[in-house]
Coordinates of all heavy atoms in Angstrom, one line a residue:
T351 N -3.8 12.1 18.9 CA -4.9 12.0 19.9 C -5.7 13.3 19.8 O -5.2 14.4 20.0 CB -4.2 11.9 21.3 OG1 -3.3 10.8 21.3 CG2 -5.2 11.7 22.4
E379 N -3.3 5.9 18.4 CA -1.9 5.2 18.6 C -1.7 5.1 20.1 O -2.1 6.0 20.9 CB -1.0 6.2 18.0 CG 0.6 5.6 18.2 CD 0.7 4.3 17.6 OE1 0.5 4.1 16.4 OE2 1.1 3.4 18.4
F380 N -1.2 3.9 20.4 CA -1.0 3.6 21.8 C 0.5 3.3 22.3 O 0.8 2.8 23.2 CB -1.7 2.3 22.2 CG -3.3 2.5 22.0 CD1 -4.0 2.3 20.8 CD2 -4.0 3.1 23.1 CE1 -5.3 2.5 20.6 CE2 -5.3 3.4 22.9 CZ -6.0 3.1 21.7
L381 N 1.4 3.6 21.3 CA 2.8 3.4 21.6 C 3.3 4.2 22.8 O 2.7 5.2 23.1 CB 3.7 3.6 20.4 CG 3.8 5.0 19.8 CD1 4.8 5.9 20.6 CD2 4.3 4.9 18.4
R382 N 4.4 3.6 23.5 CA 5.0 4.4 24.5 C 6.4 4.6 24.1 O 7.1 3.9 23.3 CB 5.1 3.4 25.8 CG 4.0 3.0 26.5 CD 4.2 1.9 27.4 NE 4.6 0.8 26.6 CZ 4.9 -0.4 27.2 NH1 5.1 -0.6 28.4 NH2 5.3 -1.5 26.3
E383 N 6.8 5.8 24.5 CA 8.3 6.2 24.1 C 9.2 5.3 24.9 O 8.9 4.8 26.0 CB 8.4 7.6 24.6 CG 7.5 8.6 23.8 CD 7.8 10.1 24.1 OE1 8.8 10.5 24.7 OE2 6.9 10.9 23.7
K432 N -9.2 6.4 23.2 CA -7.7 6.8 23.4 C -7.6 7.6 24.7 O -6.8 7.3 25.5 CB -7.3 7.6 22.2 CG -6.0 8.1 22.4 CD -4.8 7.3 22.5 CE -3.6 7.8 23.0 NZ -2.4 7.0 23.3
N436 N -5.6 6.5 28.4 CA -4.7 7.3 29.0 C -5.0 7.7 30.4 O -4.3 7.7 31.4 CB -4.2 8.5 28.2 CG -3.1 8.1 27.1 OD1 -2.7 6.9 27.1 ND2 -2.6 9.0 26.4
L439 N -4.8 5.0 33.0 CA -3.5 4.6 33.3 C -2.9 5.6 34.3 O -2.3 5.3 35.3 CB -2.6 4.5 32.1 CG -2.9 3.2 31.2 CD1 -2.1 3.3 29.9 CD2 -2.6 2.0 31.9
I443 N -1.8 5.4 38.3 CA -0.5 5.9 38.9 C -0.9 6.9 40.1 O -0.2 6.8 41.2 CB 0.3 6.7 37.8 CG1 0.8 5.7 36.7 CG2 1.5 7.4 38.4 CD1 1.3 6.4 35.5
N447 N 0.2 6.3 44.0 CA 1.0 7.3 44.7 C 0.3 7.8 46.0 O 1.0 8.1 47.0 CB 1.3 8.5 43.7 CG 2.4 8.3 42.8 OD1 3.2 7.4 43.0 ND2 2.3 8.9 41.6
A476 N 0.4 -3.7 36.1 CA 1.1 -2.6 35.4 C 0.5 -1.3 35.9 O -0.5 -1.2 36.5 CB 0.6 -2.8 33.9
F477 N 1.5 -0.4 35.8 CA 1.1 1.1 36.1 C 0.8 1.2 37.6 O 0.0 2.0 38.0 CB 0.1 1.6 35.2 CG 0.8 2.0 33.8 CD1 1.1 1.1 33.0 CD2 1.0 3.4 33.7 CE1 1.8 1.4 31.8 CE2 1.6 3.7 32.4 CZ 2.1 2.8 31.6
L478 N 1.5 0.4 38.4 CA 1.3 0.5 39.9 C 2.6 0.8 40.5 O 2.9 0.5 41.8 CB 0.7 -0.7 40.5 CG -0.7 -0.9 40.2 CD1 -1.2 -2.2 40.8 CD2 -1.7 0.2 40.7
K479 N 3.6 1.5 39.8 CA 4.8 1.9 40.4 C 4.7 3.2 41.0 O 4.5 4.3 40.3 CB 5.9 1.9 39.3 CG 6.7 0.5 39.3 CD 8.0 0.7 38.6 CE 8.0 -0.1 37.3 NZ 8.4 0.5 36.2
A480 N 4.8 3.4 42.3 CA 4.8 4.7 42.9 C 6.1 5.4 42.6 O 7.1 4.8 42.4 CB 4.6 4.6 44.4
G481 N 6.0 6.8 42.6 CA 7.1 7.6 42.3 C 6.8 9.0 42.4 O 6.1 9.4 43.3
I482 N 7.3 9.8 41.6 CA 7.2 11.2 41.6 C 6.2 11.7 40.7 O 6.2 12.9 40.2 CB 8.5 11.9 41.5 CG1 9.2 11.6 40.1 CG2 9.4 11.8 42.7 CD1 10.6 12.2 39.8
G483 N 5.4 10.8 40.2 CA 4.2 11.3 39.3 C 4.5 11.0 37.9 O 5.6 10.8 37.4
Y484 N 3.5 11.0 37.1 CA 3.7 10.8 35.6 C 4.0 12.1 35.0 O 3.6 13.2 35.4 CB 2.4 10.2 35.0 CG 1.1 11.0 35.2 CD1 0.9 12.1 34.4 CD2 0.2 10.7 36.1 CE1 -0.3 12.9 34.6 CE2 -0.9 11.4 36.3 CZ -1.3 12.5 35.4 OH -2.3 13.2 35.7
G485 N 4.8 12.1 33.8 CA 5.0 13.2 33.0 C 5.0 12.8 31.5 O 4.3 11.9 31.2
G486 N 5.7 13.6 30.7 CA 5.7 13.1 29.3 C 4.7 14.1 28.5 O 4.0 14.8 29.0
S487 N 4.7 13.6 27.2 CA 3.9 14.5 26.3 C 2.5 14.0 26.1 O 1.7 14.6 25.5 CB 4.5 14.4 24.9 OG 4.4 13.1 24.3
C488 N 2.1 12.9 26.9 CA 0.7 12.4 26.7 C -0.1 12.6 28.0 O -1.1 13.2 28.0 CB 0.8 11.0 26.2 SG 1.5 10.9 24.6
F489 N 0.1 11.8 29.0 CA -0.7 11.8 30.2 C -1.2 13.2 30.7 O -2.3 13.4 30.9 CB -0.1 10.9 31.3 CG 0.0 9.4 31.1 CD1 0.5 8.6 32.0 CD2 -0.7 8.9 29.9 CE1 0.5 7.2 31.8 CE2 -0.6 7.6 29.8 CZ -0.1 6.7 30.7
D492 N -3.3 14.9 28.0 CA -4.6 14.1 27.6 C -5.6 14.1 28.9 O -6.8 14.2 28.5 CB -4.2 12.7 27.0 CG -3.5 12.8 25.7 OD1 -3.5 13.9 25.1 OD2 -2.9 11.7 25.3
F548 N 11.5 12.2 31.3 CA 10.2 11.9 32.1 C 10.2 10.4 32.3 O 9.4 10.0 33.2 CB 9.0 12.4 31.4 CG 8.3 11.6 30.2 CD1 7.4 10.7 30.4 CD2 8.9 11.7 29.0 CE1 6.9 9.8 29.4 CE2 8.5 10.9 27.9 CZ 7.5 10.0 28.3
K549 N 10.9 9.6 31.7 CA 11.0 8.2 32.0 C 12.3 7.7 31.3 O 12.9 8.5 30.4 CB 9.9 7.4 31.5 CG 9.7 7.5 30.0 CD 8.4 6.7 29.6 CE 8.7 5.6 28.7 NZ 7.5 5.0 28.2
P550 N 12.9 6.6 31.5 CA 14.2 6.1 31.0 C 13.9 5.8 29.5 O 12.7 5.5 28.9 CB 14.5 4.9 31.7 CG 13.5 4.5 32.7 CD 12.4 5.6 32.6
P559 N 8.8 15.6 35.5 CA 8.8 16.1 36.9 C 10.1 16.7 37.2 O 10.0 17.6 38.2 CB 8.7 14.7 37.8 CG 8.0 13.7 36.8 CD 8.5 14.1 35.4
E615 N 14.7 6.4 36.3 CA 15.3 5.2 36.6 C 16.1 4.7 35.6 O 15.8 3.6 35.0 CB 14.2 4.2 37.2 CG 13.2 3.8 36.1 CD 11.9 4.7 36.2 OE1 12.1 5.9 36.2 OE2 10.8 4.2 35.9
R640 N 12.1 6.9 42.4 CA 11.6 5.8 41.7 C 11.8 4.5 42.3 O 11.6 3.4 41.6 CB 12.3 5.9 40.4 CG 12.2 7.2 39.5 CD 10.8 7.4 39.0 NE 10.8 8.6 38.1 CZ 9.7 8.9 37.5 NH1 8.5 8.2 37.6 NH2 9.7 10.0 36.8
Ligands
LIG1131 O1 3.7 2.5 37.1 C1 4.0 3.6 36.5 C2 4.1 3.8 35.1 C3 4.4 4.9 34.5 N1 4.7 5.9 35.4 C4 5.1 7.3 34.8 O2 4.1 7.6 33.8 C5 4.5 8.4 32.8 C6 4.2 7.9 31.5 O3 4.9 6.6 31.3 P1 4.5 5.6 29.9 O4 3.1 5.4 29.9 O5 5.3 4.5 30.0 O6 5.0 6.5 28.7 P2 4.4 7.4 27.6 O7 5.4 7.2 26.5 O8 4.0 8.7 28.0 O9 3.1 6.5 27.0 C7 1.7 6.8 27.4 O10 1.2 7.8 26.6 C8 1.2 7.5 25.1 C9 0.8 8.8 24.4 O11 -0.7 8.8 24.5 C10 0.3 6.2 25.0 O12 0.3 6.0 23.6 C11 0.9 5.0 25.8 O13 0.0 3.9 25.6 C12 0.9 5.5 27.2 O14 1.5 4.5 28.1 C13 6.1 8.4 33.0 O15 6.5 9.6 33.6 C14 6.4 7.3 34.0 O16 7.4 7.5 34.8 C15 4.7 5.8 36.7 O17 4.9 6.8 37.4 N2 4.3 4.6 37.3

Side-chain angles (χ1 to χ4, degrees):
T351 303
E379 177 55 61
F380 298 91
L381 65 79
R382 290 163 300 173
E383 295 181 17
K432 171 63 193 177
N436 275 2
L439 293 171
I443 297 170
N447 281 336
F477 281 72
L478 288 179
K479 267 200 243 130
I482 51 175
Y484 59 78
S487 67
C488 294
F489 287 175
D492 294 344
F548 79 99
K549 66 183 236 182
E615 64 275 38
R640 300 291 184 174

